[in-house]
Amino acid sequence: MLDFTVAIPTYNGASKLPLVLEKLRSQINTQNISWEIIVVDNNSSDNTAKIIQDYQSRFYEFVSIKYFFEPKQGAAFARLKAIKEAKSTYIGFLDDDVLPDQNWVSAAYSFCQAHPQAGAVGGQIHGDFEVEPPPEYRRVYPFLSIREHGSKPILFEPNRLNLPTTASLVISKKAWDESVPDRFTLSGRVGSSMVASEDYELLLYIYKNGWEIWYNPEMESYHKIPADRLERNYLLSLSRACGLPTYFLLTINAKSWEKPILFARTLLGNSRRIILHLIKYRGQVRTDLIPAFDLEFFWGSLLSPFYSFYKLRKNK
């Protein structure tokens, strides 16, 4: 069995994958780590397969690159495929637009070795912006998979939905096999749908089974953010979409008697937030992005119980 797998789910990532693979070819301090790279093509229509074929010959003496095709679109399905095919103790997920630092693999593996109860470990993700955003946009950074929690390791608080993102995340194969079901309720962004949070779903299953979720600042990476990701319409759609799974995520680790309380708290709490927000900002929500962004998240969270019932009924 190998020590470590780097798994890269991708959809039409032909233009992005070479940057990630070159970063992986430049990894240092991996002499005593047996590892592999897996690319899961999530039903791409570009030449992703050809790109990987070219790199397989280039990487032959360095580390093996394996290509797998997953026809069911959705990040959750791609990650399930990667877990199934990985032949290692730990699987490090990287999005196809996230560039790992040169010691990412060694920092990830060393941390997991030192924390055997860690079911998942998130890294420090910096923004690599095509166009530099104004300072107030820092409010939206976490929604763009930018995570900078300081220079010291910390334990996440899953019950408060304080969790890392799978853009740069290491999973214990044992923790996944013991905890994560074969089917997710949330499948990730598919087609025009912006609703994601399938990464939070799998992490909550792992936490529910007694595993710890850690932040390792030594696992540094850089998320490339194109200019169109900072446009108002995109960000407002993203904000509401991130709010919609809130109630479902809160119920994963809740007892049966707690769910009606969570239902009422979600409706009443977000109704109050919306009213107070409109009173405070009034017309600013039409002109200023950040107040509008927060309002969209509150609306998504308010609707989240009904979205949860819809998803659960649909998946039966």
Side-chain angles (χ1 to χ4, degrees), residues 86-98:
K87 309 300 181 186
S88 60
T89 306
Y90 301 103
I91 297 95
F93 287 102
L94 284 173
D95 281 0
D96 62 8
D97 56 0
V98 172

Side-chain angles (χ1 to χ4, degrees), residues 71-287:
K72 292 182 180 179
Q73 280 200 280
F77 299 118
R79 293 190 188 104
L80 284 167
K81 182 70 172 180
I83 289 288
K84 179 181 178 182
E85 301 295 346
K87 309 300 181 186
S88 60
T89 306
Y90 301 103
I91 297 95
F93 287 102
L94 284 173
D95 281 0
D96 62 8
D97 56 0
V98 172
L99 306 181
D101 213 350
Q102 61 180 355
N103 69 331
W104 192 85
V105 170
S106 61
Y109 183 68
S110 297
F111 191 91
C112 290
Q113 290 289 95
H115 298 80
Q117 197 53 36
V121 181
Q124 185 170 193
I125 309 174
H126 309 288
D128 182 0
F129 295 95
E130 182 182 11
V131 176
E132 191 64 27
E136 61 268 24
Y137 274 48
R138 293 194 68 85
R139 168 72 183 89
V140 309
Y141 282 11
F143 295 81
L144 297 171
S145 295
I146 297 172
R147 304 297 167 88
E148 296 168 320
H149 300 297
S151 59
K152 295 181 180 180
I154 59 172
L155 269 172
F156 284 103
E157 301 174 281
N159 286 333
R160 298 176 58 189
L161 300 187
N162 176 21
L163 290 164
T165 169
T166 46
S168 171
L169 182 77
V170 177
I171 298 283
S172 160
K173 183 78 155 55
K174 186 173 187 291
W176 182 296
D177 290 343
E178 291 179 355
S179 314
V180 180
D182 292 333
R183 187 178 180 185
F184 288 85
T185 298
L186 305 172
S187 58
R189 296 171 194 163
V190 181
S192 60
S193 173
M194 294 282 285
V195 181
S197 296
E198 77 289 341
D199 46 358
Y200 278 24
E201 181 180 358
L202 73 89
L203 288 169
L204 287 166
Y205 292 138
I206 288 173
Y207 176 73
K208 185 176 183 178
N209 207 36
W211 293 87
E212 296 172 346
I213 313 293
W214 280 89
Y215 163 72
N216 175 16
E218 300 300 318
M219 285 167 49
E220 291 193 76
S221 57
Y222 300 83
H223 187 197
K224 298 187 74 65
I225 311 292
D228 60 7
R229 295 288 179 89
L230 298 177
E231 292 178 358
R232 180 183 175 90
N233 288 342
Y234 176 85
L235 288 172
L236 295 186
S237 296
L238 175 65
S239 182
R240 181 173 289 208
C242 288
L244 283 173
T246 300
Y247 175 76
F248 167 73
L249 294 172
L250 289 171
T251 61
I252 289 178
N253 287 322
K255 298 178 175 63
S256 297
W257 63 268
E258 293 176 307
K259 293 180 181 180
I261 298 173
L262 286 172
F263 179 84
R265 186 180 296 171
T266 300
L267 293 182
L268 295 174
N270 284 289
S271 296
R272 180 175 180 272
R273 289 187 186 97
I274 290 170
I275 293 169
L276 293 177
H277 196 77
L278 290 171
I279 292 172
K280 180 177 181 179
Y281 292 102
R282 299 181 183 178
Q284 290 184 52
V285 296
R286 298 178 182 176
T287 56

Side-chain angles (χ1 to χ4, degrees), residues 26 222 289 303:
S26 302
Y222 300 83
L289 173 68
L303 296 171

